[in-house]
DNA sequence: AACACTTCTTAGCCTAGGCTAACTTTCAGA
DNA sequence: TCTGAAAGTTAGCCTAGGCTAAGAAGTGTT
């Protein structure tokens, strides 16, 4: 039972509670990632195609229709989505807000990745994963980076 | 049924198959993230403390001991970890490789985040999530960015 | 109006990754 | 040595998010 608060030697590991907090935050982000992906995609489809049908989500998420039905059920339960059976999907107020936030985060991450040297396609690919795990502080830093690059001095 | 290949107007959505491929890649990364976190932590504990006990993983991951037992079981099944009951955890060859790769990716992401303006603690926090979702191309770009910054000709 | 096709839902299954409660094993100190 | 605390395991539960197969509900064409 070594007490790292006393000796403080060549420790690179953070305190256990801090370490645990990081992972907890991570698990939280994982839980919200699916919801964000779905509402973001629904918003995109509504904007670009005029309607968001479950079958389109199924195709674009690469997932069975049964899975979409189940997921939409959870989003509905959580007050993010409304459905009119056989009439496509709609976002609630909360869903729209979440989608807007997700999209602006997504776009920021894409622009940042391109700025540090990724090609557009890879940037899109990576943003899909990174957008859910970047903290507000990180996003702010990305934005500062872009601002400085666009307007040096 | 609009055919976006024909008109090609103000579409910002990628082709459905490409879109699906992104999400598939994402789900793949999610599946490997837990394994990477565990072997990385086990490697750290072995290096820093001389042994990796399940109870330490439990504390540092912020998860019950029962959950650790179950997860370790999966890692063992997948050939990443070996256990001697009541004797701590050890990495297999494959586990060690994975841990090494994960750690170097983690460190690269941390250094990159600091370089773009995050403080050390936030960088560590964010790296925990981002390291599993950055492609090799992105990591290469991060490395180039660091190299250029450290040695601007 | 009827038929076929597409869309959506339902039922039943699975794995990963969480939990608590209860039990077993090990270890250290009196 | 024995005994209590710590460590580890087991059993039983849960949710999210996948799947397939089968059935129901619209839609469109003739």
């Amino acid at each position: 039972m070594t007490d790292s608060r006393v000796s403080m030697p060549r420790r690179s590991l953070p305190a256990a509670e801090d370490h645990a907090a990081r992972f907890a935050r991570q698990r939280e982000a994982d839980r919200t990632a699916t919801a964000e992906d779905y509402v973001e995609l629904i918003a995109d489809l509504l904007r670009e195609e005029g309607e968001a049908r479950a079958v389109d989500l199924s195709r674009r998420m690469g997932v069975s229709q049964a899975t979409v039905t189940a997921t939409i059920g959870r989003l509905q339960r959580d007050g993010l989505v409304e459905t009119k059976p056989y009439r496509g999907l709609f976002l609630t107020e909360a869903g729209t807000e979440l989608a807007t936030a997700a999209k602006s985060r997504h776009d920021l991450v894409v622009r940042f990745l391109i700025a540090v040297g990724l090609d557009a396609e890879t940037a899109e690919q990576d943003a899909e994963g990174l957008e859910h795990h970047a903290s507000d502080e990180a996003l702010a830093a990305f934005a500062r980076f872009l601002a400085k690059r666009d307007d040096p001095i």
Side-chain angles (χ1 to χ4, degrees), chain A residues 72-89:
Chain A
I72 293 299
R74 284 189 286 270
L75 298 181
Q76 223 172 341
R77 179 200 60 192
D78 297 342
L80 297 170
V81 165
E82 277 164 5
T83 67
K84 307 181 187 170
Y86 296 92
R87 279 286 169 275
L89 306 168

Side-chain angles (χ1 to χ4, degrees), chain A residues 55-126:
Chain A
V55 68
D56 293 326
L57 291 187
S58 163
R59 281 199 267 265
R60 304 199 93 94
M61 303 287 307
V63 128
S64 73
Q65 287 199 47
T67 295
V68 170
T69 299
T71 305
I72 293 299
R74 284 189 286 270
L75 298 181
Q76 223 172 341
R77 179 200 60 192
D78 297 342
L80 297 170
V81 165
E82 277 164 5
T83 67
K84 307 181 187 170
Y86 296 92
R87 279 286 169 275
L89 306 168
F90 304 89
L91 295 175
T92 64
E93 186 97 15
T96 305
E97 266 173 49
L98 184 57
T100 305
K103 181 171 180 53
S104 80
R105 224 164 36 233
H106 179 96
D107 290 346
L108 171 58
V109 172
V110 169
R111 279 184 290 125
F112 174 73
L113 290 175
I114 290 174
V116 297
L118 268 69
D119 66 279
E121 174 54 31
T122 309
E124 281 291 343
Q125 170 77 262
D126 275 60

